[in-house]
Amino acid sequence: MKKIITFLLALAMTLGIWAQGNGRSLTNTLQELCTELQKDFIQRTEAQQLFLEDYDRQHRQMIDVITATNELSLLLYTQEQRRTFEMAYALSKVTTGYTGFSKGRRPYDQIIGGLNFEVDRYARLIEALRRLPPEMKITEVQAVPDSLLYRNDSLELHLYGNMSSLEKEIIRIAVKDTSSAPFVLDEAGEQYRDSCVSYASELLKMYAGNRETVIADSTHYQEAFLRAKEAYDYAEERYTELDQYVYETGQTPFVEVLIHFGSYWSKMVREMRDQYSYTELRRAREADETYYNTITGRAEKAYLVIACGIQLGTLALVWAFFWGLLWLLNRYTPLRRYIPQKSLPLFAVFVGTIGYFLLFAYFWEGSEYVRVGVKNFNTFLWLLTAISGSLLLRVDEKQIRHGVGLYLPTCVLALVVVICRNTFIPDILLNILFTPILLVTVFAQLTACTAQRGKVSRMDNLLGWVSLGIYVIILMVAFFGYTFAALIYLMWWYFMFAALLTVLCVSDLADRYKDSRTDEKSWLYDFVRQVFIPSLLLLSLPWSAKMALGLFDFTDLYTRYFYEPFLHLGEEADGPGAFSISVISIVWLSILFCFMRFLNQALHELWRHVQYASFKHRNKRTQIRANEINLSLGNSIISVVVWLVYAIVIIQEWKIPTGSLGLVAGGLSAGIGIALKDTINNFIYGIQLMGGRLRVGDWIECDGVRGKVTAINYQCVQVETEEGTEMSFLNESLFGKNFNNLTRNNSYEKTIIIVGVAYGTDVQHVREVLVGAMQQLCTKDQYGRDVVDPTHGVYIAVDKMNDSAVDIAVKQYVLVAERLAYIDKAKEVIYNALNEANITIPFPQCDVHLLKE
């Protein structure tokens, strides 16, 4: 071992000489390294300024986030449970702040890891440069702390261990003594080495300083994150309590409020005084012109009430302005043809609401409460726009006034709810007022539905009665004390109501688009009907719930109800193979089903178009019969691929464990194979039939039943018989029996019609009469084919000689699809032709001769 180590050391000491012998000096290498380090130093110096600026910006943002987290924590911890609106608002802000705080976290671990790599790299480089002979002393490295320098004495310890004193002396002289070293840097090499050490030392200090800065920020951020996490955990607990308070325990039943009305009224008065203070608001306004940005507490709540009044007044003025403007335009300009007089007020509301939203919706100044109130009021504007726009687009001019009367209670009640939410109305006041308001709304809606019956469209009438039923249910919920649950259900119906009106508008526009087109197929219309409208209806369910819960700052409840799995089978919620189903996944998979169904239909149509175009080009034809090309197999393959992809998406979305499915399928394969033997046989025979033996539109005969094939699937063949009934033949039974495909060869079938003539009639004369008469039936079908095969024509022959007549057979080859109609017409033509030629058609008769003795 000692000899091997000595040899390796000697080999290492000759590397410098070997490098010089290969045409590349160490001095040149150090010169290039010095140039690279100088370039890195210049770039790092420029980047250092950007790093410091970015650090200052991130530091300020972190301070803002920490400050906001502390404010939210204080806001949350000071809320009383009896003020549900304020508690829900605080919980929502804390939850949103924590989510944003977590998403905005910088990757400190990655940054620190990268900086550690750079520090270690430059420290090793400095050590490698320092040990080049003549070796530099540690003190000669410029102003680099000892903690940053790299030391590696493992080689010396390994070499010196278990060596004699003579061997240690030889190695010490070889490594330490420059006079006995195999090579020594020249003067230029030493200068380059010193420059490299200087640049590397500066870069090392820059990276080390940046690392310390990032570590300090990471520590502060972690402290803020833990504080935010603590508030978030507390908010989760309060959300659970709030959920129970809203949906399980409820508030005070209205019967108890009526019994102790005086006590509740006194509590309500005290609560209102604690909640709103117009005196403090007036003092704040006198002290500062921008008081609305600094007020808090009771003065801020009073300002919210005034802000609601200002918003309503501004909206009314905007409506009046547009009403007057439209009245002038309608009276003195040619626009009267576009704005009917009876719909002028509703049109003014529609245009005025949009105008208010564009001009004033986002220009209100004030605290966070005010901005939330403006957002909620904009939601009411959207509901109003949906109702008015839907009536203007769908309803006849004579029905508009009646439609407004039908929907007026809905709009008024929605406005009352939004005002209650924006002003953070106390719980006790809501318990006293909300049930009577609902009762008045129920009577108003009932009166409107009764008065407008037969005066509005069928869908509007249906929506009116559905609204009445929902209001009655909500009234019962509020009457038994679940006031906030009733509020949430009510707002859910408002958003659902607006979504339904939007869907009705889209449906009406789609119908108008289809009526304006003259072509038979409109893919845009089919897409809207089959995909877009069903998707809107499906999305309206979770969207309405999200908007309703978000209006009351119950967004966490929305996530819990719609995104968390209600069915879960697995050890861990997020573990692999954990089967889980959530409401939102069902909604999205239902939308995907609508799309895949439309895609399947579109691919079938594309396949048909490609096959028809290829057949026309190949056979130089312009028309194709419906059953001339076999599309069954291609359509089946397309359907299998499309729905297989859909099944794979379901498995991935719901995390269905495929391994378990494969195990179960393998275990049951034998039993399933025996039990489903006939089904499997029918499946295989169905594929063979689709491969070309049978086509949709073919005429077949099996077991004495003739009919036209209407569908071919994997289990049976559906046939429409000549009598107009539907029959199904199992695929296996068709293969087990000899069925005749009457149209497979040339689509013609030999048809014989028997007619009797009297004995003594000239057969040749009969032949001439019938052949001439039958020529009028030699026409063409809709595809240009001869109904009677011209290669055979009409052939007349004597069939039988019966007791009363000579049977004449009228033979011809007729298209199978035209056979029934042809036979009926042919019998009539034959009968008329024989009558006109005075040819007797005898009938069976018996002559009785009486013999006289």
Side-chain angles (χ1 to χ4, degrees), residues 633-649:
L633 183 60
N635 290 337
S636 299
I637 293 175
I638 291 173
S639 299
V640 168
V641 171
V642 168
W643 297 116
L644 180 62
V645 171
Y646 182 68
I648 293 174
V649 173

Side-chain angles (χ1 to χ4, degrees), residues 92-111:
S92 175
K93 294 298 293 183
V94 169
T95 304
T96 305
Y98 173 76
T99 304
F101 191 77
S102 302
K103 291 182 179 180
R105 185 180 188 274
R106 299 184 67 189
Y108 287 108
D109 295 339
Q110 297 181 8
I111 297 175

Side-chain angles (χ1 to χ4, degrees), residues 506-508 510-511 524-534 597:
V506 173
S507 177
D508 184 72
D511 291 337
L524 179 60
Y525 176 80
D526 292 341
F527 178 81
V528 171
R529 276 292 184 184
Q530 299 179 21
V531 180
F532 188 69
I533 291 180
R597 182 181 60 181

Side-chain angles (χ1 to χ4, degrees), residues 751-753 814 818-828:
T751 303
I752 300 176
I753 303 174
V814 183
E818 304 291 335
R819 177 177 175 274
L820 289 178
Y822 179 85
I823 291 176
D824 294 337
K825 295 178 182 178
K827 288 179 179 180
E828 183 179 352

Side-chain angles (χ1 to χ4, degrees), residues 637-692:
I637 293 175
I638 291 173
S639 299
V640 168
V641 171
V642 168
W643 297 116
L644 180 62
V645 171
Y646 182 68
I648 293 174
V649 173
I650 292 178
I651 293 174
Q652 294 295 326
E653 177 66 23
W654 286 348
K655 300 179 182 178
I656 299 176
T658 55
S660 301
L661 291 179
L663 185 61
V664 172
L668 299 179
S669 58
I672 292 175
I674 296 174
L676 301 180
K677 178 177 67 68
D678 295 337
T679 303
I680 296 174
N681 288 338
N682 286 322
F683 178 81
I684 296 174
Y685 291 142
I687 294 177
Q688 296 182 14
L689 289 174
M690 296 176 190

